[in-house]
Amino acid sequence: MLAHHFYLDLCLQCAWKEQLKTLPNPAVASLVLDKNGAILSLEAHKECGKPHAEVLALQKAYAILSGDNAILSLEDSCAIHTYLLENAIPYFKEITLYVTLEPCGSRKNGKTLSCAALLRELKPKCIVIAAQDSSKNAKGGAQELENAGIAVIKAWEVESLKEIYTKAKALLIPFNVLQMKGRFMLFKYASRLDGSINGGQISEKTAQSLMHDYRTKADFLLISGESVRVDNPRLDTRFATLAHKNPNVAILTRQKDFPKTAQLFKVPNRNVKILHHLKEMESLQGFIFCEGGAGLFCALQDSIDVLLVILNPSFKKDSKLTMQLNANFSVLHSTQVQNDVFLWLVPKT
C-alpha cells in the first residue's frame, strides 16, 4: 500500500494547485500508471464546466499509449468522452487509475458527463480513490465501478491509507462547506516574516495573480470600510489568468452614510453591498472571499471557514503594523508559490 500512498499524495499535491479555482466544483486530481508502473499522466480539474481530472488524465494517457495525438486537440468534456469510448477501450485493460475523489456516478446531472460511466466502459485494471463523494448529485461512483467488475481500493477502508484519506478530506473542505451551508468563507492575509502588513505590495506577482484568479470565482469579495477609505482599491481581476470576471463586493462598515467615491464603485457589472451589522452577512451566499487586516478578521473570526496566510520571505524595518489577535489554527496544507509560502489553515477547536 506504500505505492498507493505515494501516488495518491502526488495527486493531492497537484489538486491543491487548483484549489478554489474549481468552485463550486471540488478540486480533484488523477494519475494513470501503465502496466509496468510508469506514470503516463497526472492531471487536475481546472474549472467548473471543464473536463474532470479523470477525463484529462485518461486523455493524455491514451495519447501516449496509442500514439494518437488527435485527442489532445479536444477541450470539450463530452467530445473527449466520446473519443475515448470509440477508440481507447483496448488500451486501458492493464492500467491503474488514482483519483483524489470518488468518480462521479451515472446519476450526475451537470455540464460534464459521469466519470464512473466512462470508466465502466474503459475497464481499467484497478482504481484507487482517496475520498468518497458525499454530494447527492454525484455520489455512488465507486459502487458502480465495483458492480462492473473493476477492482476498487478505497482509502477510507484501508488502515495504511487513513492518513491520505484525512488529507483528501482537507482538500474538499471548501467544496463540502459550500455544499452543506450554501456559503464558504475564506479569509486571505499576507505578511512578511516580521509580521508586517503595510508598506506596499507584500506577496510576489505569481501570488497576486492567483488571488485575482480566486476573485473571479468569488460570489462576493468582503472587505472593511477602513480598507476602502485608506487604500481606495479597485478590487478587479486584471492580473487573473482565468476569464476576467470582476466580483461583487460587500463592505462591512459602521459608517451609516458610506461614501461611494472609491474606485471599486466604478467597476462595471458589479453589485456592491454595504453592511452595517454581522447579521446582514446572512444575505451573502456562495464563495465569500475576505481580504483585510486584524480588525476585519476579529469581526469575522467566528464565521471564517479557512484562513489562507501568504508569507513572504522579507523584512521591513520601518513597518510597525502587524496582526495582533488571539487565535490558534491547524494546518490543512502548505505549499510554495514562487518565493511566497501559502498556509491553508482552519480554526482549532
Side-chain angles (χ1 to χ4, degrees), residues 73-272:
S73 66
L74 302 178
E75 297 181 357
D76 176 73
S77 184
C78 292
I80 299 170
H81 272 245
T82 301
Y83 200 99
L84 288 170
L85 291 173
E86 291 177 349
N87 300 282
I89 290 177
Y91 291 94
F92 289 119
K93 301 296 183 183
E94 297 299 320
I95 67 105
T96 298
L97 182 138
Y98 292 84
V99 64
T100 58
L101 180 65
E102 179 181 9
C104 48
S106 58
R107 294 182 301 170
K108 173 187 177 294
N109 295 313
K111 298 178 182 178
T112 55
L113 300 176
S114 161
C115 292
L118 174 63
L119 289 164
R120 281 203 324 261
E121 300 300 320
L122 297 179
K123 282 189 164 45
K125 180 178 69 174
C126 181
I127 298 175
V128 187
I129 306 170
Q132 68 266 60
D133 194 333
S134 59
S135 64
K136 293 180 181 179
N137 182 44
K139 67 181 181 179
Q143 187 62 56
E144 289 184 36
L145 295 168
E146 288 180 320
N147 293 344
I150 299 170
V152 178
I153 297 173
K154 294 169 276 192
W156 58 95
E157 293 181 352
V158 180
E159 187 61 35
S160 62
L161 295 177
K162 290 293 175 67
E163 179 188 354
I164 281 291
Y165 172 48
T166 299
K167 289 182 178 180
K169 288 194 297 181
L171 172 70
L172 293 171
I173 284 176
F175 170 72
N176 284 336
V177 170
L178 191 57
Q179 290 281 306
M180 289 185 293
K181 299 196 312 186
R183 179 176 69 200
F184 167 71
M185 184 175 290
L186 175 110
F187 194 101
K188 185 269 291 187
Y189 173 74
S191 80
R192 303 177 185 87
L193 286 179
D194 56 4
S196 62
I197 58 176
N198 62 337
Q201 180 67 29
I202 296 173
S203 51
E204 298 191 5
K205 288 184 177 180
T206 303
Q208 188 178 21
S209 177
L210 260 179
M211 293 308 104
H212 282 225
D213 281 341
Y214 298 163
R215 286 180 180 180
T216 70
K217 299 304 175 185
D219 293 284
F220 272 95
L221 186 59
L222 179 59
I223 61 169
S224 68
E226 182 181 7
S227 292
V228 176
R229 289 188 296 270
V230 173
D231 299 331
N232 188 23
R234 275 188 287 176
L235 301 179
D236 60 13
T237 57
R238 62 193 182 278
F239 299 127
T241 62
L242 306 178
H244 290 207
K245 170 185 166 290
N246 291 315
N248 296 322
V249 173
I251 302 170
L252 186 62
T253 177
R254 294 189 182 93
Q255 188 174 344
K256 293 301 180 184
D257 298 316
F258 193 85
K260 298 182 179 180
T261 56
Q263 294 184 85
L264 68 89
F265 288 98
K266 301 173 185 176
V267 174
N269 303 315
R270 157 180 286 172
N271 177 20
V272 180

Side-chain angles (χ1 to χ4, degrees), residues 18-82:
E18 309 303 326
Q19 185 63 279
L20 303 182
K21 293 189 285 185
T22 62
L23 288 176
N25 281 6
V28 181
S30 182
L31 179 150
V32 175
L33 294 183
D34 71 9
K35 63 181 180 180
N36 299 313
I39 296 176
L40 295 172
S41 57
L42 173 59
E43 300 292 331
H45 182 43
K46 303 298 184 186
E47 283 187 87
C48 181
K50 293 189 176 181
H52 287 183
E54 302 98 309
V55 175
L56 292 171
L58 290 166
Q59 178 188 33
K60 185 174 180 180
Y62 165 72
I64 293 172
L65 289 170
S66 67
D68 178 9
N69 290 326
I71 193 173
L72 299 178
S73 66
L74 302 178
E75 297 181 357
D76 176 73
S77 184
C78 292
I80 299 170
H81 272 245
T82 301

